Amino acid sequence: MHDHRPHAEIIVSHLRGWMCVSGTPSDSPDPSEDDWQAHLSNARNWFIATGESDLQAVTEQALRLAETGAVGGILTLLAHAETAAARRRRR
């Protein structure tokens, strides 16, 4: 299935949906909906603070991809990570 939404909307949807991240750290301003890099950075900081190392690793990898401009790679990474998480829950 192909998602036709804008990339920013898909990335933020992953963060708020299966990664369960909403809001920002208390010292950070709330980024705009289309600032997906800020949302990823805030999510990474949240996962560092909560000790969720698996999700921290995913967001760090996504941020490295963002530095190269590989938005398609970020979407693929998040889709694969979400699928893997769903499989682990079924066991």
Side-chain angles (χ1 to χ4, degrees), residues 10-31 35-63 74 78:
I10 297 168
I11 292 169
V12 172
S13 176
H14 276 287
L15 296 173
R16 290 184 177 158
W18 74 274
M19 290 178 135
C20 299
V21 176
S22 62
T24 61
S26 60
D27 60 345
S28 300
D30 194 21
D35 189 355
W36 54 268
Q37 288 178 310
H39 284 278
L40 277 172
S41 181
N42 287 342
R44 180 197 54 213
N45 294 340
W46 175 257
F47 297 136
I48 289 169
T50 60
E52 296 180 64
S53 59
D54 291 345
L55 294 176
Q56 176 188 340
V58 170
T59 54
E60 286 176 351
Q61 187 174 357
L63 286 166
I74 295 168
L78 294 175

Side-chain angles (χ1 to χ4, degrees), residues 5 9 18-19 57 66 77:
R5 296 177 295 170
E9 187 177 334
W18 74 274
M19 290 178 135
L77 168 70

